Amino acid sequence: MSHARRSVPSVASFVVLGLALAFTVLLLRPRWVESLRAALGVSAPTSAAATVAANNNSPRSYAEAVKRSAPSVVSIYTARVITERPYQLVPNPTLQRFSGITLGRPRQRLERALGSGVIVSSDGYVLTNHHVIANADEIQVALWNGQVTQARLVGSDRETDLAVLRIEGSNLPALSLERALPVQVGDVVLAIGNPFGLGQTVTQGIVSGVGRDQLNLSAYEDFIQTDAAINEGNSGGALVDADGGLIGINTFVLGRLAGAEGIGFAIPLSTAGTVLKQIVDHGAVVRGWLGIEYGDAPVLPGTLPPASARGVAVSNVYAGSPADLAGLRVGDVLLDVDDIAIIGQLDLRTREANLDPGSRIHLAGLRAGVPFETEIVLAQRPQGGV
């Protein structure tokens, strides 16, 4: 028993000495420990902080994306002269019995507005919104480096709310209108513009929806919805992804007066690129035109075939239009164009616009439940809509 008691302190001493030696080796020769782990196939322990950092794919900062895209976003300042004739009281008491009010002498005032734009070519083409520059007598652009220059209006398209400006310069920082990956709901986005004239500002959010239409904002609607803050002055600015790539042109936000918060819209690159090319090539957007107004066709039992949750119903036929000459009538339901099904009004409106004036198309549909077919030669859609 006494021998066992004497051996306990000896064993404890060896344990303490071994731990001390191991700690010393760990401090002085950490590579020996790594070599031993590799030989035994044992991985190094991972701290909780390192595990969180490894599993977190979101960047801690979007500064690099802003550096890549912000120089391409410009501030736009417009001015126009408005002539008014103010109302004034008639000093003659006798004439006051008739109306008491007349128009005064014409007077002029200067109205200013602001917005944003995106440089999309190194030789000075700038995309912005139509409503930013509408009726402007003078357009000035402030670049990322503080330089202010005059801009020339190349062309404008009210129906997509897009306009193209041109500024003098070369080797300007431009954002590409080409994009390989589709925009998806949940993608992180940054809105860059000049809200309230504060200067270039960046807000962050996500893509809340794609393909938004039926908002009555423009004739051709296919918006990206985002909760990134878009305020007055952001119109025409850039909506970019987390890498700084352009995905849309900011155009509109539902304000708190509408009971909404965090609901903004941007025009996608597909639309912006098409409008830019048309305006640069022709000075305006040239679209095909059927000469009708239409909405999504209702599904009526006994009127449409079972798989008919598609097509459009004609609500108006313009006199003398291609549709009028082809015999289309109000109430007709159009189901196919050139043997390709019409999904809905957005689908037909897009396909109609993408066809060249003079194109001949084959239409199939129903009239009072009876199938019919006809051919139509498209005209050019009137500028500014109908």
Side-chain angles (χ1 to χ4, degrees):
M1 177 67 81
S2 61
H3 176 74
R5 287 176 180 174
R6 286 195 302 270
S7 65
V8 171
S10 300
V11 171
S13 299
F14 281 117
V15 169
V16 172
L17 180 60
L19 290 175
L21 289 173
F23 183 73
T24 302
V25 171
L26 181 62
L27 287 178
L28 300 179
R29 294 289 188 272
R31 292 183 179 179
W32 291 2
V33 179
E34 293 174 5
S35 300
L36 181 60
R37 286 199 186 103
L40 298 177
V42 179
S43 59
T46 304
S47 67
T51 302
V52 171
N55 294 332
N56 184 9
N57 294 324
S58 299
R60 294 176 180 268
S61 170
Y62 298 101
E64 290 302 317
V66 173
K67 288 178 183 178
R68 282 191 289 269
S69 55
S72 303
V73 182
V74 300
S75 300
I76 296 176
Y77 300 90
T78 66
R80 64 170 176 159
V81 177
I82 298 178
T83 301
E84 298 176 324
R85 296 191 65 186
Y87 291 102
Q88 65 181 22
L89 291 175
V90 178
N92 189 323
T94 303
L95 295 177
Q96 284 183 3
R97 290 184 301 172
F98 297 98
S99 67
I101 299 176
T102 186
L103 292 175
R105 298 180 62 181
R107 64 184 183 187
Q108 294 182 328
R109 63 180 177 88
L110 189 63
E111 182 179 82
R112 299 185 181 276
L114 59 87
S116 304
V118 183
I119 301 173
V120 290
S121 72
S122 60
D123 57 349
Y125 284 108
V126 177
L127 269 174
T128 186
N129 287 147
H130 164 80
H131 74 260
V132 168
I133 52 80
N135 304 315
D137 296 315
E138 182 183 27
I139 304 173
Q140 290 187 324
V141 170
L143 304 180
W144 78 100
N145 57 6
Q147 178 186 354
V148 178
T149 182
Q150 294 288 330
R152 175 176 62 88
L153 177 62
V154 180
S156 185
D157 184 46
R158 187 179 67 183
E159 296 193 282
T160 54
D161 194 27
L162 285 169
V164 179
L165 307 177
R166 185 75 182 272
I167 59 176
E168 295 297 327
S170 60
N171 297 320
L172 297 171
L175 288 178
S176 173
L177 291 174
E178 301 294 330
R179 182 173 175 82
L181 299 176
V183 177
Q184 301 182 83
V185 175
D187 286 349
V188 172
V189 291
L190 309 173
I192 308 177
N194 177 28
F196 300 106
L198 293 173
Q200 194 173 85
T201 301
V202 182
T203 55
Q204 181 260 340
I206 64 168
V207 173
S208 307
V210 294
R212 297 300 198 212
D213 60 353
Q214 300 183 0
L215 301 173
N216 297 319
L217 301 179
S218 60
Y220 300 95
E221 298 185 338
D222 182 22
F223 295 117
I224 300 169
Q225 181 183 330
T226 178
D227 65 343
I230 299 173
N231 295 289
E232 182 181 347
N234 273 109
S235 293
L239 189 70
V240 303
D241 60 24
D243 295 320
L246 184 65
I247 66 171
I249 304 296
N250 299 323
T251 185
F252 181 77
V253 62
L254 288 179
R256 293 185 178 180
L257 292 178
E261 187 171 342
I263 302 179
F265 300 98
I267 302 165
L269 287 191
S270 56
T271 301
T274 300
V275 170
L276 173 71
K277 186 177 187 306
Q278 289 263 5
I279 289 178
V280 171
D281 291 346
H282 307 291
V285 179
V286 178
R287 298 184 174 96
W289 186 55
L290 290 168
I292 55 176
E293 294 180 6
Y294 44 80
D296 291 337
V299 179
L300 301 176
T303 302
L304 299 177
S308 64
R310 60 182 179 87
V312 298
V314 178
S315 58
N316 185 36
V317 178
Y318 290 97
S321 69
D324 186 30
L325 298 176
L328 288 186
R329 303 174 188 173
V330 173
D332 287 348
V333 175
L334 307 181
L335 298 176
D336 300 278
V337 174
D338 291 334
D339 298 324
I340 299 177
I342 300 170
I343 299 172
Q345 60 176 316
L346 178 61
D347 175 43
L348 179 57
R349 188 168 289 112
T350 302
R351 288 160 66 180
E352 175 188 4
N354 289 337
L355 290 169
D356 294 329
S359 300
R360 181 182 295 271
I361 63 171
H362 180 268
L363 280 177
L366 298 173
R367 178 173 294 160
V370 179
F372 78 95
E373 298 181 4
T374 188
E375 287 193 346
I376 295 181
V377 178
L378 273 67
Q380 180 174 332
R381 183 176 179 85
Q383 294 297 326
V386 290

